[in-house]
Amino acid sequence: MNAHRQVAAVLSVLSFGLGQLYNRQYMKGLILLLVEVVGLSYFINNLSHAIWGLVTLGKTPTHFETINGVATTVKGDHSIFLMLGGLITLLLLFLFVAAYVMNIKDAYRTGKKREEGHKPANIVESVRYVMDKRFPEIFLSIPILGVLFVTILPIIFTMLIAFTNYSGPDNLPPAKVLKWVGFRTFHDLIMFKTWSYTFFHILGWTIVWAVVATFTTYMGGVLVALLVNQKGIRLKGMWRTIFIIPYAIPQLVSLLVMKNMFNGQFGPINQYLGYFGLGKLPWLTDPTMAKITVIIVNMWVGIPVSMILIMGVLTAIPKDLYEAAEVDGASAFMKFRLITMPFILFTTAPLLIIQFAGNINNFNVIFLLTKGDPVNGKFQYGGSTDLLVTWLYKLTLDQQKYNIAAAVGIIIFIMIASLSIWSYRKTRSFKEEDMIQ
Amino acid sequence: MKKSLSMLAAVSAVALTVTACSSTPEETAKPSAAAATEAPKATAAATAAATTDTDMGLKPEAGAKLVVWDAPDQKAFIESMAKQFEAKYKVPVKFEEVNPPDQPAKLTADGPAGVAADVTVIPHDNLGKMVSANLYLPNDVFADQTKKENAEAAVQGATFNNTLFGYPKSVETYALIYNKDLVKTAPKSFDDVVAFAKTYNDPGKNKFAFMFDIGNFYFDYAFLAGPGGYVFGKNGTDKTDIGLNNDGAVAGAKFFASLKKDVLPVKSGDVTYDIKKGLFTSGKLAMDLNGPWTILDYKNAKINIGVAPIPTINGKPAVSFAGIKILGVNAYTKYPNAAKLFAHFATSQAAQLENFKISGQLPSNKAAAEDATVKNDELATGFLQQLKTSQAMPSIPEMGNIWTPMGAALGDIWNDGKDPKATLDNAVKQIKDTNAATK
C-alpha cells in the first residue's frame, strides 16, 4: 500500500492523468486526459504525413490539366509548405513529449507525498501553488512559445534550405519538387570555382570592413566625446546636438542623399572640388575608392552613437583619480592612457563586440550607398563593396539562389556567434562583474 | 492550417531575406521589357481583323474581386479599365503598383502562398523562367482571338514551349529621344553624334550631347548586336550558343568603349536613370537612349521632344532589344475566369488604343496599330521605325543569367579600358558556368 509513487508513475506512463486520478486529484487528472485526447488525435492524423513530407519533400509537383481546352491548376505537393508543416508538427510533438514527462514526474512526486502521509493537493491548491511558487515559469512560458514558433522555427527552416536544391530558375516549388542534397551546396560554395572566388573575396572584404568600420567609429566617438568634454569648451549642449544630428536622420534619407552627393560627375562634392581647381575623385565608381568612401560615410553615421555612449562613461570616472594623477605629475596624455582609456574600454567592451557583429551585417550603409557596386566582372552576382549580407540579399531576391543564400547565412551566423561568444567571455567586464561598484 | 502555413511561410521568407528595402528609383530604369521580333507591319495589306471582342461565354465567378499589378505609369490606364470592367461585369478591380522587373520574384514567393495579384505583368525575358515554375495559367479561352488580333511577333513573345501564356498589351523598344531645341535634325549615324558632341559637350557645366544607361546590358546590347553579336542562337532559344564574345560583339564593344572619350566622359556608375532624367528635363542633355516609358515624364517637363531610330554604328543599323508588355493570369488566382476576362478586356483593341492615348504605349494589336491616332503620332513613328531593326529578347530561363555578368563586363570595358575580347570571354564563361550550376 505504500508504493504510491511507483503505481502513480506507472499509471501516468500508460496515459496522461491516470496517475493523478489514482492520487485522487480528479480535476487535474481529467484536464491531463483531455490533453492526451487532443494531442493523440492531432498526431495520429498528422504525424506520419509530416514526417513523410520532411523526409521526401513531396512527390507530385503542381501542374496543369487541360479539360476541354481549359487549363486548370492541379495542386500538388509544395515542398516548402511540407517542410514548414513538418517542422511545426515536430515542434508540437516535442512540446507534447515534454508535457508527458512532466505529468509522470508530477504523479511520482504526489505519490511520494502520500507515502509521507500528506494529503494530495486539490485543484484549487494546485493552482494557488503554481501561481505563488511557480509564477516566473508560467509567466515566461508564453514568450518562450512565441520565440519557439516565431524565431527558432524560421532559423531551423532557413538552415534546412541550405541542404536542399531550392534555387531558381530550375528548382522552384510548386512546379518542381525539391530534393535533399546534403552538403552539396556548401561544397559548391567553397570548392566550386564559380562560387568560391566570389565568396572568399566578399568574405575577406566583410572582415576588413567590420574591423575598420568598428575601429574608426569607436575611436572617432572617443575623440569627439573627449573634445566636447574638455574643460573650457563652451556650449557643450550645442556641440552634442550638432554631433548627434547624423544619427537622428533616418539612414534611408541621409544615405540616399549621400549617394547623389558622391556622384563622380554630377555630385556636389566633385563640383566643389572642380571650383577649387582640383580633379574629380571617383568616389563610388572605383573599387578601392568606393571602399574608402563607404568607410568615411559609415564614420559619419556611426560616430554619434559611440560618442553618446562614451560621454556617459566619462561622467562615471571618479574625479579623485585624476586629482591623484595630477599630484603625481602625470601629463594629459598619461592620464588619458592610464585612466580614461582603460575605464572606457572596460565599460564598453561588450558594446564594442556588439558593434563589430552589427558591422559584419551592416546592410544599410552598403546597400543604400553603393548597392554593393561598383560591379565586378569576376564576381558571381556581387560587386566590389558587397558584404556577405548584401550579396545574400541579391542572391535571394534577384537571383533566387535560395540554397546558396541560406548556406551563406549559416556561415555568417556561425562567424558572428562564435566570435561574439569567444570575445565576450574574454572581456574583463564579463569575468569581473563586480570591479566597478 | 493552410492559412497559418502561408503566414509562417511569409514569416520565414522574411527571415530568409534578412531585410528588404524599398526599391530605389533607378530600378525603374531596368528593362521592363518584352519582345517583338519586329513591329506590327504598318502596311495597308495588314489583315486588320474585325475585332470580335466577345467574352466567349466566360462568366466571372460569383463574388470575384481582382487585384492587378502593373507599373506606376500604367496606373491611370488600369484604373480606367477597372472602371469599365466593373460596369460591364460587376467585378471590382484594384490596382497595385509593382514595377515589372520586381514582379517575377514577388510572384514566385507570393503566388503559391495565395497572396499575389490575380493579373500581373510578364516581363517577357522572364517568361520561360516563370512558366517553368508554373506561375501562369495558359491563355486558352481567348487564344484564337489573341493570336488573330495581335502582331505575329507579339504572339511569339507571349508563347513558350508552343503554349500561349499571355495577353499582349503593347510593344516597346528604346530609341533616340532628343530635345528638338538643341538638336535640329536627328543624327543618322554615330559619327554625327560624335561631331555634335565636340561642339556641345561641356562636362564642367554638365552639358552632354548623348547619354545612355552605360552599365545596363539592356541598352548596351544595341552596340554589340549591330556588328553581329547576339545573345542566344536559333532565335534566342539555344542556350549553348552564346554570341556575346564573337568578332561582331567584340567590334561592337570596341566602338562602345570609344564613346567614352568622344561623347560621354563619365564613369558608368555615375549615370543613373534619375540623373539622366534630371539633365534631360532641365535642357542640358540633348539626346537620350531610352524607351516609351520616359515619354510621359519628358512631356510633363515641357521639353520639345522628338524620337528617331538609334544612329547607325559603323554604317550598320543598331539592333535594339525589343519587347512586348504582356498581361498574365496568376496560376493560383481564386477567380481564374474573372482574371482571364480582365486580362483579355484590358488588352483588346479599344483598350490598347486608350493605353496609347494615356501613356503612349505602342499597341501590339494589329488593328490598333493601324489606327490614325497612332499613325499620325510623331513620337510613336520613331519607336516603330526602331522596332523594325530590333530583336526579340530571348525568353528562355537562362536569360536571367545574362544581365549581371554582361553589365559588369561592359562596365569594366567602359571604366577601365579593359580589353574587350578578354573581358567578354570571361563574361561568357561566367554565364556558361552559371547555366551549368543551375542544373
Side-chain angles (χ1 to χ4, degrees):
Chain A
M1 193 54 226
N2 264 357
H4 286 312
R5 60 178 115 169
Q6 282 87 345
V7 179
V10 169
L11 281 170
S12 263
V13 169
L14 289 177
S15 160
F16 274 78
L18 287 185
Q20 280 77 2
L21 288 174
Y22 166 82
N23 283 333
R24 309 209 182 100
Q25 294 176 307
Y26 299 115
M27 199 65 192
K28 204 186 203 174
L30 284 175
I31 291 170
L32 285 169
L33 267 175
L34 194 70
V35 170
E36 163 105 3
V37 171
V38 171
L40 276 184
S41 63
Y42 173 79
F43 289 116
I44 286 166
N45 285 329
N46 290 313
L47 191 61
S48 60
H49 180 74
I51 290 173
W52 169 85
L54 262 180
V55 172
T56 61
L57 294 179
K59 268 213 328 248
T60 41
T62 298
H63 55 283
F64 296 121
E65 273 179 25
T66 313
I67 304 153
N68 328 328
V70 177
T72 41
T73 314
V74 178
K75 284 227 167 146
D77 298 325
H78 193 308
S79 301
I80 293 299
F81 291 171
L82 282 175
M83 199 192 281
L84 271 173
L87 276 177
I88 292 169
T89 310
L90 284 187
L91 276 181
L92 289 171
L93 181 68
F94 165 77
L95 292 174
F96 188 72
V97 170
Y100 181 59
V101 170
M102 272 154 61
N103 125 72
I104 297 167
K105 270 190 173 164
D106 173 74
Y108 180 84
R109 265 203 309 266
T110 317
K112 200 167 150 195
K113 274 217 170 96
R114 285 178 65 194
E115 289 167 28
E116 290 160 5
H118 298 288
K119 211 169 143 281
N122 63 22
I123 186 74
V124 178
E125 285 165 347
S126 296
V127 169
R128 189 172 297 150
Y129 169 79
V130 165
M131 281 308 185
D132 286 347
K133 295 277 189 301
R134 295 274 173 222
F135 186 71
E137 284 93 331
I138 290 292
F139 204 75
L140 277 175
S141 63
I142 298 159
I144 284 173
L145 282 180
V147 165
L148 198 64
F149 284 99
V150 182
T151 313
I152 311 252
L153 178 84
I155 289 175
I156 299 174
F157 171 75
T158 308
M159 287 185 169
L160 288 180
I161 294 285
F163 299 96
T164 67
N165 59 352
Y166 186 20
S167 64
D170 294 329
N171 294 312
L172 293 176
K176 299 283 188 314
V177 172
L178 298 183
K179 285 202 291 288
W180 293 108
V181 295
F183 281 90
R184 201 183 74 194
T185 313
F186 291 89
H187 176 268
D188 285 355
L189 191 61
I190 290 162
M191 312 295 287
F192 194 46
K193 179 116 183 25
T194 317
W195 292 107
S196 63
Y197 180 87
T198 315
F199 173 70
F200 285 115
H201 276 77
I202 290 182
L203 177 66
W205 159 239
T206 303
I207 292 167
V208 169
W209 152 266
V211 171
V212 175
T214 311
F215 180 79
T216 50
T217 51
Y218 187 79
M219 288 321 286
V222 171
L223 193 74
V224 174
L226 285 173
L227 280 176
V228 173
N229 266 353
Q230 285 300 318
K231 281 201 190 79
I233 295 271
R234 293 200 213 165
L235 305 170
K236 284 192 166 64
M238 184 194 78
W239 290 116
R240 242 174 276 166
T241 315
I242 288 175
F243 285 122
I244 201 72
I245 282 175
Y247 183 59
I249 307 170
Q251 290 184 4
L252 199 72
V253 178
S254 58
L255 292 175
L256 288 174
V257 169
M258 287 255 181
K259 186 191 183 116
N260 283 337
M261 279 172 62
F262 280 110
N263 185 300
Q265 172 60 34
F266 310 100
I269 293 180
N270 271 354
Q271 301 274 343
Y272 286 129
L273 288 178
Y275 291 142
F276 297 125
L278 301 164
K280 292 188 155 102
L281 284 171
W283 294 105
L284 297 172
T285 44
D286 174 80
T288 319
M289 192 67 211
K291 286 175 180 173
I292 295 168
T293 309
V294 288
I295 293 208
I296 293 172
V297 172
N298 183 60
M299 280 170 76
W300 183 82
V301 172
I303 283 178
V305 191
S306 313
M307 178 192 81
I308 294 277
L309 288 173
I310 284 152
M311 275 184 176
V313 175
L314 288 178
T315 55
I317 303 180
K319 290 278 173 295
D320 47 352
L321 285 178
Y322 290 112
E323 283 158 13
E326 263 165 39
V327 170
D328 288 344
S331 68
F333 180 72
M334 277 167 81
K335 275 191 278 184
F336 169 75
R337 198 171 59 89
L338 296 169
I339 302 170
T340 318
M341 204 60 213
F343 220 99
I344 293 175
L345 268 178
F346 178 83
T347 321
T348 55
L351 287 163
L352 200 59
I353 295 149
I354 289 171
Q355 278 189 344
F356 183 79
N359 272 327
I360 290 181
N361 274 344
N362 200 329
F363 185 86
N364 284 5
V365 172
I366 300 289
F367 192 80
L368 295 175
L369 200 64
T370 66
K371 267 213 144 141
D373 292 347
V375 284
N376 186 326
K378 293 199 193 71
F379 281 5
Q380 201 71 350
Y381 309 122
S384 301
T385 56
D386 260 324
L387 302 177
L388 282 174
V389 73
T390 53
W391 187 49
L392 184 149
Y393 175 89
K394 287 179 183 177
L395 286 175
T396 313
L397 277 122
D398 304 348
Q399 307 299 339
Q400 289 156 357
K401 306 271 180 259
Y402 299 108
N403 56 348
I404 292 271
V408 172
I410 291 175
I411 290 168
I412 296 177
F413 175 73
I414 292 171
M415 256 168 53
I416 293 181
S418 52
L419 184 127
S420 307
I421 293 166
W422 170 80
S423 52
Y424 189 72
R425 298 190 61 141
K426 277 188 72 95
T427 51
R428 289 177 41 219
S429 41
F430 177 76
K431 288 185 203 158
E432 310 169 23
E433 273 179 348
D434 47 348
M435 188 191 110
I436 296 176
Q437 293 302 340
Chain B
M1 191 70 197
K2 268 276 174 290
K3 227 192 175 83
S4 64
L5 269 186
S6 56
M7 279 289 296
L8 269 159
V11 170
S12 322
V14 170
L16 192 74
T17 56
V18 196
T19 50
C21 285
S22 62
S23 65
T24 46
E26 71 246 43
E27 287 196 0
T28 36
K30 263 213 223 154
S32 56
T37 12
E38 50 180 272
K41 287 262 189 303
T43 56
T47 43
T51 33
T52 46
D53 195 17
T54 70
D55 46 24
M56 306 291 288
L58 197 63
K59 288 273 174 290
E61 295 83 351
K65 294 198 299 283
L66 296 178
V67 177
V68 181
W69 283 346
D70 207 331
D73 63 329
Q74 291 287 286
K75 185 174 190 288
F77 164 67
I78 294 286
E79 283 181 349
S80 147
M81 281 292 123
K83 256 205 210 74
Q84 296 169 40
F85 188 76
E86 189 167 5
K88 190 170 171 185
Y89 295 102
K90 308 283 175 291
V91 174
V93 181
K94 193 161 146 267
F95 169 83
E96 282 182 8
E97 203 174 281
V98 181
N99 269 324
D102 305 335
Q103 289 199 16
K106 208 168 146 70
L107 186 62
T108 307
D110 293 358
V115 290
D118 306 280
V119 180
T120 73
V121 173
I122 310 178
H124 131 260
D125 54 311
N126 284 293
L127 181 70
K129 192 164 86 178
M130 308 291 284
V131 166
S132 306
N134 277 357
L135 288 166
Y136 297 118
L137 281 178
N139 174 354
D140 39 30
V141 180
F142 300 108
D144 296 342
Q145 274 187 67
T146 303
K147 284 177 186 160
K148 199 164 70 199
E149 291 173 13
N150 286 290
E152 175 61 28
V155 174
Q156 277 305 315
T159 304
F160 185 73
N161 282 349
N162 302 324
T163 311
L164 179 67
F165 279 92
Y167 304 76
K169 189 170 70 157
S170 59
V171 285
E172 68 180 17
T173 186
Y174 42 92
L176 191 76
I177 302 176
Y178 60 102
N179 185 334
K180 284 185 171 172
D181 301 337
L182 300 173
V183 186
K184 292 285 167 292
T185 49
K188 287 277 169 289
S189 75
F190 259 100
D191 301 341
D192 302 347
V193 176
V194 173
F196 175 72
K198 285 204 169 77
T199 62
Y200 182 81
N201 269 11
D202 184 354
K205 291 203 176 68
N206 284 338
K207 284 170 71 176
F208 291 96
F210 170 77
M211 265 196 176
F212 65 107
D213 205 340
I214 305 162
N216 190 336
F217 178 63
Y218 177 64
F219 297 103
D220 298 342
Y221 181 73
F223 298 97
L224 268 56
Y230 55 89
V231 182
F232 294 117
K234 296 205 191 98
N235 285 333
T237 55
D238 184 357
K239 66 176 180 202
T240 56
D241 176 10
I242 299 175
L244 292 170
N245 58 343
N246 61 18
D247 297 345
V250 173
K254 282 204 175 91
F255 175 81
F256 159 89
S258 74
L259 290 178
K260 185 182 183 187
K261 184 168 59 69
D262 302 333
V263 177
L264 190 53
V266 298
K267 292 248 182 183
S268 73
D270 290 339
V271 179
T272 66
Y273 181 82
D274 282 6
I275 278 173
K276 264 194 330 181
K277 193 166 106 181
L279 291 175
F280 196 91
T281 51
S282 61
K284 288 183 171 172
L285 173 61
M287 294 178 268
D288 179 18
L289 186 68
N290 226 327
W293 51 89
T294 50
I295 293 289
L296 204 58
D297 282 334
Y298 290 176
K299 270 185 179 163
N300 290 344
K302 304 276 183 292
I303 298 281
N304 181 9
I305 46 176
V307 176
I310 304 171
T312 54
I313 296 166
N314 299 341
K316 294 200 186 80
V319 179
S320 57
F321 265 146
I324 357 160
K325 289 224 170 103
I326 312 165
L327 288 184
V329 174
N330 170 3
Y332 297 89
T333 172
K334 292 191 196 69
Y335 314 110
N337 291 353
K340 284 175 187 175
L341 275 171
F342 182 81
H344 179 67
F345 184 82
T347 53
S348 67
Q349 181 190 344
Q352 294 201 10
L353 267 181
E354 184 172 336
N355 196 5
F356 175 76
K357 282 173 196 146
I358 292 175
S359 48
Q361 305 234 346
L362 307 169
S364 64
N365 179 297
K366 285 185 282 200
E370 289 299 308
D371 196 279
T373 36
V374 181
K375 293 222 105 136
N376 302 336
D377 187 290
E378 197 190 338
L379 302 179
T381 355
F383 285 115
L384 286 168
Q385 272 178 319
Q386 179 58 42
L387 270 167
K388 285 178 188 153
T389 61
S390 67
Q391 259 174 18
M393 235 185 301
S395 65
I396 56 175
E398 284 74 14
M399 190 64 198
N401 299 335
I402 295 280
W403 303 109
T404 314
M406 284 309 291
L410 287 159
D412 282 349
I413 292 170
W414 179 274
N415 293 330
D416 312 333
K418 287 196 178 157
D419 173 52
K421 176 81 184 130
T423 316
L424 289 176
D425 282 348
N426 177 46
V428 169
K429 185 181 156 301
Q430 225 181 7
I431 293 165
K432 285 185 169 157
D433 283 351
T434 315
N435 287 351
T438 50
K439 274 297 141 287

